[in-house]
Amino acid sequence: IGYNYISSERTGRYTLKNTVGEIVDNSSDAQATKVWIDLEGHSKDIQQLIIVDNGLGMNEEQLLGSFTLGCQRKRQIGELGKFGIGGTKGSLGIAGDKLTITRDSSGTIFGRRYSIESIRKNDAWGTIPVKITKVHEKMLNEYVGEGKTGTLIVLSNFDRDNFSRVKRNMTDSLKNYLSKTYCEFIAQ
């Protein structure tokens, strides 16, 4: 899959709300009981969107699959993910860079990322394994707890102009969307 195809896919239906919704759906499928959403940067120009859950985490194969467009996986009854494209395609719709750090039940931490610049340069879809640093581990631990399972996603390089990067606007938009979409989960 070349850069032009990926570039055309980035102009699809995904917005900030849809993208966060896709990732939260994946958190729900991973049996998360908590999801954190943080906005980093100046209040008038957010630079990073961080979404973390305390779900089951992913092993290396699952992590690679999460970046594969159209990844086939065995679905369980009641899971929200259907086609294996929402988390990555949604992220591409708003962010030029995506970093995922995850720890599964084995305690091993894995990382992977995509960079739209790398895709453009190589004219091919691809992701890059991330060497886990103490900073990555500390960041994951601050949310889920030391040694606990979970997944941390950092979206950055908001190179598409399809949502406001003003913190208050983003916060209000996400609160409104998430409270309506996940009211049943929130109530539980």
Side-chain angles (χ1 to χ4, degrees):
I1 300 174
Y3 173 75
N4 285 340
Y5 178 79
I6 295 298
S7 185
S8 72
E9 284 294 308
R10 297 186 77 205
T11 62
R13 67 178 174 90
Y14 287 98
T15 64
L16 173 69
K17 295 182 291 189
N18 303 108
T19 298
V20 171
E22 291 286 357
I23 294 170
V24 172
D25 284 352
N26 291 341
S27 297
S28 176
D29 289 347
Q31 301 175 20
T33 58
K34 292 182 182 176
V35 176
W36 297 265
I37 300 172
D38 283 328
L39 305 171
E40 302 264 327
H42 189 274
S43 65
K44 292 188 180 182
D45 187 24
I46 295 302
Q47 298 297 307
Q48 292 185 332
L49 170 62
I50 301 169
I51 305 166
V52 187
D53 71 55
N54 68 343
L56 299 173
M58 294 178 272
N59 62 34
E60 195 168 22
E61 181 181 343
Q62 291 166 323
L63 177 60
L64 181 59
S66 77
F67 279 92
T68 302
L69 297 171
C71 176
Q72 290 187 341
R73 65 179 171 93
K74 187 175 179 177
R75 287 187 63 221
Q76 304 299 318
I77 294 174
E79 286 188 340
L80 300 171
K82 294 180 182 130
F83 305 111
I85 61 172
T88 295
K89 192 170 175 186
S91 297
L92 279 165
I94 67 168
D97 293 288
K98 177 183 181 183
L99 167 69
T100 302
I101 306 295
T102 187
R103 180 171 37 230
D104 68 0
S105 60
S106 74
T108 305
I109 301 175
F110 300 101
R112 197 151 197 94
R113 67 183 287 263
Y114 75 69
S115 164
I116 200 66
E117 278 307 306
S118 176
I119 295 165
R120 183 190 57 73
K121 180 181 174 186
N122 296 318
D123 193 25
W125 171 250
T127 62
I128 306 158
V130 172
K131 183 177 180 191
I132 300 301
T133 66
K134 292 289 183 190
V135 172
H136 294 128
E137 186 174 3
K138 181 181 179 200
M139 193 172 179
L140 182 62
N141 287 342
E142 285 175 353
Y143 287 97
V144 301
E146 194 164 331
K148 305 277 184 176
T149 61
T151 300
L152 177 143
I153 295 173
V154 179
L155 300 178
S156 60
N157 183 14
F158 301 119
D159 57 342
R160 305 248 313 116
D161 195 23
N162 58 355
F163 67 93
S164 168
R165 284 179 267 306
V166 175
K167 187 173 190 173
R168 175 138 184 128
N169 295 347
M170 291 174 74
T171 302
D172 291 348
S173 176
L174 288 173
K175 278 183 181 178
N176 185 35
Y177 175 78
L178 293 170
S179 65
K180 288 179 182 175
T181 306
Y182 298 98
C183 63
E184 183 178 316
F185 294 114
I186 292 169
Q188 294 176 3

